Structure formats: structure tokens, C-alpha cells
Amino acid sequence: MRPRCLPHPPRPSRPPSRFGRAAAALASAVAAALLAAATVVLAPAATAFADGGGADQSFTIKDPRITESSGLAASHIHPGIYWTHNDSGDGPYVYAVDSRTGETVARITMRGVGTPRDVEAISVGPDDDVYVGDIGDNLNGAWDHVWIYRFHEPKHLGDQTVDATQFTVKYADGPRNAESLMVDPDTGRVYIASKNEDGGGLYEGPAHLTSSGTNIFRRIGDVPWVTDGAFSPDGKQLVLRSYLGAYGYQWHDGHLGAKFSVDAPFQGQSESVTYTRDGKALMFGSEGKDSQVERVDLKEAVPKGGSYTHPGHTSSRTTPGSGGMSSKGNAVVGAAVVLVVLLLFFGLKRRRRSSPRKHRQ
């Protein structure tokens, strides 16, 4: 006979969970976005995506194998081609997608690496090497190390297996979650931006990665809660994106400089960002089947005094694929959607807590 179970005693109060803190931080971001964009009026517009059109325009990833595109990087030797990969559970694969058609023109199998765990980012270095960041850790510290894989861009596109090098990575201040990996186009140094609801950090790797030991990444600055990042082709700026927008920083000698605004489209799951190879636009990607990559043109930044500095701040005008919204307009839509989700979540949670629980006797 099964022993009779007594009713559970009342649970002691607990401090807010990590999810609760994340929700609170996200709610604060929503409020800020709504306040900043309160006077913006949105004009509806249809988003156009390339299908056999020009390179480096907005496009849809059509490959049914790519359902969780988590990173994006413009090829250095194949114009109009973008490297991407799935999130966890796919294998040692990287895909080359043609922005003219949205079709996959190559699937690269990396040979010489272990089983990927949570691949979140991709970047191309100054030597045309592709760096793949297996740096995700959704438990925010469960793994005491993560990995970076590196292979040289193939000269000819097509399904193939290439030799790749695996690098072990640890953070000087302990394990953490990250989704952003960037390679400095001048020095070839690798940087990782951690992802945390309370704000992340920018971590600098050693001058040269080693495959024979552990590569220690050290924190050199604070950054917002971000999902991806990219250096401009000339190495003068760093752009980081988040769920509700994007930010830019001047970059000089391995240090973050002045912060500036960047327009970003509102996407269902804001996952990736990269510069076009010519540095004239940013390409923003998202996850999901038939996910969309949207182009946002850059404009020249002119400081006080009128002298030319560098293309960096994004243009407030819409471009094909931008959906007819500037960053403020996208902030309104994104904030509204997230706010509704939060209200529903906490409403259901409160309702469950208030309803009586039945205990088995």
C-alpha cells in the first residue's frame, strides 16, 4: 500500500528568480523605449525582400535546414554571400547564403572539432578566417569553458568538409552566457560580449589564440544586454544589438569610445547583426523558419563643426526591407509587444498563486 502523503507545508518566501530579474530588467527597458518614442507616429509600409535581386539587400533565408539562424557574417571573398549557422542541436555546420536569392550555396562541415554545444555567433577575421562562437550558456555559468572554431573561407562555394581548429575559452572572472563574438578587422583579436539581464561585459581575448591550452578572456568594458555584435570593416566602430534596438561605439586601440544611436528593425527574435562588406549598411537577422535578414543603410556622421568623421549613425530614412520604420518606431512596436507579453505572464502567474491548490492524500 502506498503511504499516505501529508499536505505540503507552506513554502518559505524566496528572493526573485533569475527569470524574475530578467523580466524586471526587460520591463524597465520597455518603459524607457516607450518614453523615448512616445511622440513617434508610424507610417505603415510593406517590407520588400530580394528574390533574384541585387546583392546585400534584404532577403529571406529559404533553406528549411536553417531554423535558428543565430549569427551572421558577410563573406570577405564571395560578394553578397553571408555565413550563418543554427543554434544548438544542428552539428558542426556553417551555411553560406546568397543575399540575391536567399538560397544556400554551400554547407560547410567543420572537421577536427568536437560536438558543438550552443553555437551563437560568427565573424570573419582580417585573414579571411571564419570564427564560430560556441559560447552560449543558457544556465549562465553551467559550463566552465566554451569553444571557438576557426576555418579559412573556401575559395569555391559548394557543400564540403574543411579542417577547423578548436580553441578552449575561459573568462577571467568566471563562466557566463554570451551570444556575441567579434573579430577586430585590424588586429585579428577576438572579443566576446556577455549576455546578462543586468548588463553584460566586453571581453578581450589574447593577441593570438592557442589550440594547445586555454585562452583567457578578460573584461575590458561594460555593455548592454546584447545578442550579437560586429565591427565595421575599417575597424573604427563596434555595433551591438539587443532585443529592442542597437547601439554603436567608436573603437580605437582596443577601447570602447563614444556611444551613438543605431536604427534597427523590429524582428520577432532579434538575433544577429553584421556590416555589409563595403561598410555602407548593417544587416540584421532573426531566428525561425524562413527568417528575414533586413538591411539598414548607414549615413555619414558629422560632429559639431561640420567636419566629416565616418559613416556610422544609421539613416532615419527607410530602405527596402526596413518596413518603413525608424529605430524609434521599431522601439514603440517592440515595447508594446513585450509589454503585452509581460502583462499576460504576470497576470497568469498571479492568478495561479491566488487559486487554491489540491494536495494528494
Side-chain angles (χ1 to χ4, degrees), residues 38-343:
T39 61
V40 175
V41 178
L42 302 183
T47 301
F49 292 92
D51 187 4
D56 299 322
Q57 301 301 314
S58 299
F59 65 94
T60 299
I61 298 176
K62 298 178 180 179
D63 192 330
R65 297 171 296 181
I66 306 174
T67 57
E68 292 184 306
S69 174
S70 291
L72 197 67
S75 169
H76 280 196
I77 64 177
H78 302 290
I81 300 299
Y82 288 84
W83 295 105
T84 190
H85 55 82
N86 279 311
D87 204 329
S88 57
D90 186 31
Y93 308 121
V94 176
Y95 301 84
V97 180
D98 192 334
S99 61
R100 302 167 189 83
T101 64
E103 301 287 353
T104 297
V105 293
R107 186 176 84 158
I108 304 300
T109 302
M110 294 182 289
R111 178 173 53 205
V113 305
T115 302
R117 200 160 49 194
D118 190 358
V119 181
E120 291 288 355
I122 191 167
S123 183
V124 182
D127 47 8
D128 301 336
D129 280 348
V130 179
Y131 293 76
V132 181
D134 190 356
I135 56 176
D137 183 352
N138 289 329
L139 297 180
N140 203 28
W143 312 112
D144 67 349
H145 68 279
V146 292
W147 298 298
I148 295 173
Y149 314 124
R150 185 182 70 192
F151 64 91
H152 195 68
E153 276 203 86
K155 292 182 179 179
H156 304 287
L157 293 176
D159 292 353
Q160 57 193 286
T161 299
V162 302
D163 291 322
T165 304
Q166 178 170 312
F167 303 98
T168 299
V169 169
K170 288 187 176 182
Y171 303 98
D173 52 356
R176 61 203 56 249
N177 187 29
E179 295 187 2
S180 312
L181 179 148
M182 300 76 62
V183 181
D184 190 315
D186 290 331
T187 65
R189 201 162 197 157
V190 182
Y191 295 83
I192 294 174
S194 66
K195 179 185 178 185
N196 187 283
E197 62 266 22
D198 298 322
L202 182 65
Y203 289 80
E204 179 184 72
H208 302 284
L209 298 178
T210 176
S211 59
S212 60
T214 300
N215 297 273
I216 303 299
F217 277 61
R218 304 182 186 281
R219 188 175 184 131
I220 62 169
D222 298 330
V223 294
W225 187 8
V226 297
T227 59
D228 201 13
F231 282 108
S232 59
D234 63 5
K236 294 182 179 180
Q237 294 181 334
L238 172 65
V239 165
L240 300 172
R241 85 166 302 181
S242 68
Y243 290 121
L244 293 179
Y247 318 87
Y249 298 86
Q250 301 297 336
W251 182 259
H252 182 66
D253 291 337
H255 298 284
L256 291 171
K259 186 177 179 180
F260 57 87
S261 62
V262 174
D263 282 357
F266 174 69
Q267 295 172 304
Q269 189 164 348
S270 305
E271 281 293 320
S272 57
V273 65
T274 189
Y275 278 84
T276 55
R277 189 69 186 105
D278 60 12
K280 294 181 178 179
L282 288 167
M283 305 291 282
F284 292 90
S286 60
E287 281 192 0
K289 183 181 178 182
D290 297 325
S291 61
Q292 297 171 346
V293 177
E294 301 192 40
R295 173 186 172 113
V296 175
D297 286 339
L298 298 172
K299 65 179 179 179
E300 295 179 0
V302 181
K304 294 179 180 180
S307 61
Y308 169 79
T309 55
H310 174 70
H313 299 258
T314 48
S315 172
S316 60
R317 68 181 178 84
T318 60
T319 59
S322 68
M325 299 183 190
S326 67
S327 60
K328 289 185 178 180
N330 287 310
V332 174
V333 178
V337 171
V338 175
L339 185 59
V340 169
V341 172
L342 287 173
L343 289 174

